[in-house]
Amino acid sequence: MLRFTPLVCCALLALLTLCALAQSRPSILINHRNTDITKLSLADIQRAKQQLHIAYGHTSHGSQITAGMEGLVAFASAGGGGLKLPANTFAFNLGGHNGALDLQDGGLGGDVGSYPQWVERTRKYLDNPDHAKCNVIMWSWCGQVTSKFKDKTLASEYLEPMTQLEKDYPRVTFVYMTGHLDHGSDADNKAANQMIRDYCAKNGKVLFDFADIEQYDPDGKFYEFANDNCDYYSSASGNKIGNWAKQWQDAHTEGKDWYNCRSAHSEPLNANQKAYAAWAMFVEIAKRK
């Protein structure tokens, strides 16, 4: 008959409590509604920088988030967007030096479309004592979300492994993401991303809705048939009408309303919006730590 010491019993109880709490927490669903950077307080931003230690795996499309975050530092420091915050408030680097957010950009290697490599790399990273502080893991897609949906492997090669990682590393917050828009496969792409949204909403996950952000301009105008480069069309098979990001940029002042930055496969405004949403997500995650 197994006998447990009081210390072991307390440890098991704490672990069970932590797992139950994680399962009962409401979802954090980050999308175009979270792109107003002026709504974040300095205190909340500072809390996120103090508490979070992030590793982010991505390839080119996923770099839009961190490229936007890089550009945001100077934009905000100069008072862009009406922000009135101390210089370098949104700085980030590996290790969180000089009061910055601790974020290892690309530290996991590859993107979440490569299975089982992304799972193996996550485990290897978290099992490394050098990464003991890491408490947030982010993975983004390149262009595989649609094909995995069509092949019926989106659950087995993404949703289920991510959930297993959450169970195996209960101290770590795992960020789910939708894939970028793909107008060439409009119906399947939308269905794939909706499958991820539904799963996250139902199961209390943290979701960064990459695709949703690509369908709305900063004024909240919705583009039903858009592409990842912000082109938009009259229908799923219709003619191109324009590019919502270029149009918004042309109608607003660079350095005041938006900032120029790298944005792989897309326009700077897209990366701006994703950077704003990323910081909103970090703030929400930090509130749970």
Side-chain angles (χ1 to χ4, degrees):
M1 180 177 179
L2 291 175
R3 294 182 180 274
F4 297 103
T5 66
L7 182 61
V8 171
C9 289
C10 289
L12 288 172
L13 180 60
L15 180 60
L16 290 171
T17 301
L18 182 62
C19 292
L21 180 61
Q23 292 176 353
S24 64
R25 285 174 173 170
S27 304
I28 295 177
L29 306 177
I30 302 296
N31 53 36
H32 75 279
R33 297 181 180 87
N34 306 100
T35 55
D36 185 351
I37 194 74
T38 65
K39 290 185 176 180
L40 304 183
S41 72
L42 180 60
D44 284 344
I45 295 167
Q46 297 288 21
R47 183 189 300 112
K49 291 194 290 184
Q50 292 165 2
Q51 296 188 3
L52 303 187
H53 304 277
I54 306 165
Y56 179 29
H58 65 83
T59 46
S60 58
H61 278 87
S63 70
Q64 292 169 4
I65 296 175
T66 44
M69 290 174 62
E70 289 171 358
L72 174 59
V73 178
F75 178 70
S77 296
L83 292 165
K84 297 179 180 180
L85 297 169
N88 301 316
T89 291
F90 294 105
F92 68 97
N93 56 49
L94 175 58
H97 303 293
N98 300 317
L101 174 71
D102 181 9
L103 191 156
Q104 185 165 11
D105 184 20
L108 295 168
D111 57 53
V112 79
S114 299
Y115 177 85
Q117 290 87 349
W118 74 268
V119 179
E120 296 167 349
R121 289 168 181 163
T122 301
R123 293 187 180 279
K124 182 178 180 180
Y125 187 92
L126 291 174
D127 291 341
N128 186 334
D130 292 340
H131 304 144
K133 286 186 177 181
C134 179
N135 57 9
V136 179
I137 292 286
M138 297 169 53
W139 279 103
S140 73
W141 297 89
C142 191
Q144 313 96 329
V145 69
T146 303
S147 61
K148 287 190 182 295
F149 176 80
K150 292 170 68 175
D151 294 342
K152 302 186 186 309
T153 59
L154 186 55
S156 62
E157 296 186 1
Y158 179 56
L159 300 175
E160 293 168 7
M162 187 75 92
T163 299
Q164 187 61 52
L165 286 168
E166 290 175 306
K167 294 177 180 177
D168 295 342
Y169 300 91
R171 185 182 61 83
V172 180
T173 298
F174 290 84
V175 176
Y176 293 68
M177 286 199 196
T178 53
H180 67 74
L181 295 179
D182 181 4
H183 183 67
S185 301
D186 186 80
D188 286 329
N189 178 259
K190 287 176 177 174
N193 287 326
Q194 192 59 48
M195 181 176 173
I196 296 171
R197 291 184 190 111
D198 292 344
Y199 183 84
C200 290
K202 180 180 178 180
N203 294 286
K205 308 302 185 182
V206 178
L207 172 67
F208 187 92
D209 201 335
F210 206 91
D212 179 86
I213 294 169
E214 295 177 337
Q215 286 192 279
Y216 290 84
D217 71 19
D219 297 323
K221 184 176 179 179
F222 174 62
Y223 297 87
E224 182 177 0
F225 301 103
N227 203 21
D228 62 325
N229 67 344
C230 305
D231 285 347
Y232 63 98
Y233 300 78
S234 59
S235 67
S237 59
N239 295 327
K240 175 183 170 181
I241 298 174
N243 183 289
W244 66 258
K246 288 181 179 179
Q247 291 169 186
W248 201 94
Q249 289 168 182
D250 289 345
H252 294 79
T253 304
E254 181 181 347
K256 178 183 177 183
D257 304 311
W258 64 280
Y259 56 93
N260 197 9
C261 65
R262 295 181 296 111
S263 186
H265 312 293
S266 195
E267 297 298 319
L269 185 61
N270 190 2
N272 291 188
Q273 296 290 89
K274 286 171 181 165
Y276 301 154
W279 273 103
M281 178 176 68
F282 299 150
V283 163
E284 291 304 313
I285 292 173
K287 290 177 181 178
R288 294 188 175 184
K289 294 295 184 183

